[in-house]
Amino acid sequence: MSEEIRIKHTIPVRARPDILYRLALEPARRVGWDRNYVSGTYVSSEGRLVNNALVNYRLARNLLGLKFQARYGQLQAPQRGGWESVAPFGPIEKMTQSWNFKAMPGGTEVTFGLNARIRYRWAAKQLERILNNMVVGTLLALQKQVDAQGAQLMEDMGKEMAEKQKAEQKAAKEAAKAAKRRK
């Protein structure tokens, strides 16, 4: 009596596909910006993003704090990638995530898909709502993370330019003073 849930959303993000690929699929990086995950670590000692790599994930408390293990597959850097759960966890029998990154002028079109098979039909509606919010929240957080990096870069460049202008003004004043002294 399991119920299928399929969710897919697309959003444009102002970043290169290779950057987004790493942010979305590397477990340690994902935990850093996605509030839906508390932890994500590779099972093997290699700790690399490759096909069939196993990863342990733990969801946030608002997602019941469930722990599960996932296996990466269909990795084609930087165009697409995803994973599927290895064993049932909580009310979820199986869950898969897929990411597609399509380069376009000014950024990347990011498509995030989530498929889940729910064990109990009575819980399907609530879990569909929760998982849909998770997908939308993840995409918005990814966009915010990239924009935050860009904003930080712009802020740093602005500070650098201001310091450079101050130094140039100071040098001009010193040169003017030196010219007055010579006369």
Side-chain angles (χ1 to χ4, degrees):
M1 279 190 124
S2 62
E3 188 81 17
E4 288 283 329
I5 295 174
R6 296 182 188 279
I7 302 167
K8 186 182 261 189
H9 290 286
T10 302
I11 189 171
V13 179
R14 289 180 300 217
R16 295 189 333 249
D18 57 327
I19 292 170
L20 297 171
Y21 179 84
R22 293 281 179 215
L23 278 172
L25 293 168
E26 283 281 348
R29 291 184 185 184
R30 176 85 178 261
V31 169
W33 60 267
D34 191 349
R35 62 181 173 83
N36 295 309
Y37 291 91
V38 174
S39 67
T41 57
Y42 288 104
V43 173
S44 69
S45 60
E46 279 185 32
R48 288 187 23 229
L49 184 60
V50 294
N51 280 319
N52 295 321
L54 288 174
V55 178
N56 289 325
Y57 279 114
R58 183 181 186 103
L59 297 173
R61 291 184 68 181
N62 64 338
L63 297 170
L64 307 176
L66 298 171
K67 290 186 207 177
F68 65 97
Q69 194 170 67
R71 180 183 312 278
Y72 279 97
Q74 301 178 352
L75 297 177
Q76 290 182 342
Q79 286 88 26
R80 69 179 190 177
W83 54 256
E84 69 178 3
S85 62
V86 176
F89 60 100
I92 298 173
E93 195 173 315
K94 186 171 196 101
M95 186 162 78
T96 62
Q97 280 191 8
S98 65
W99 290 87
N100 288 313
F101 307 97
K102 183 180 175 189
M104 59 183 226
T108 304
E109 183 180 83
V110 179
T111 302
F112 180 27
L114 184 137
N115 297 331
R117 192 165 46 236
I118 308 303
R119 290 183 188 188
Y120 315 110
R121 183 169 275 165
W122 56 269
K125 285 254 189 246
Q126 295 88 346
L127 282 171
E128 183 172 12
R129 182 179 47 79
I130 290 169
L131 292 174
N132 189 47
N133 289 340
M134 178 183 155
V135 169
V136 171
T138 296
L139 284 172
L140 292 175
L142 177 64
Q143 189 175 44
K144 188 177 178 181
Q145 173 70 16
V146 171
D147 286 347
Q149 289 174 347
Q152 184 64 42
L153 180 64
M154 292 300 286
E155 186 179 326
D156 292 346
M157 286 175 59
K159 285 180 183 176
E160 221 175 88
M161 289 293 287
E163 288 173 8
K164 190 176 179 181
Q165 284 177 342
K166 282 182 184 178
E168 287 174 358
Q169 288 172 351
K170 189 175 181 180
K173 282 183 184 179
E174 293 295 324
K177 283 183 184 178
K180 277 187 179 180
R181 285 186 209 147
R182 283 188 228 144
K183 288 184 180 180

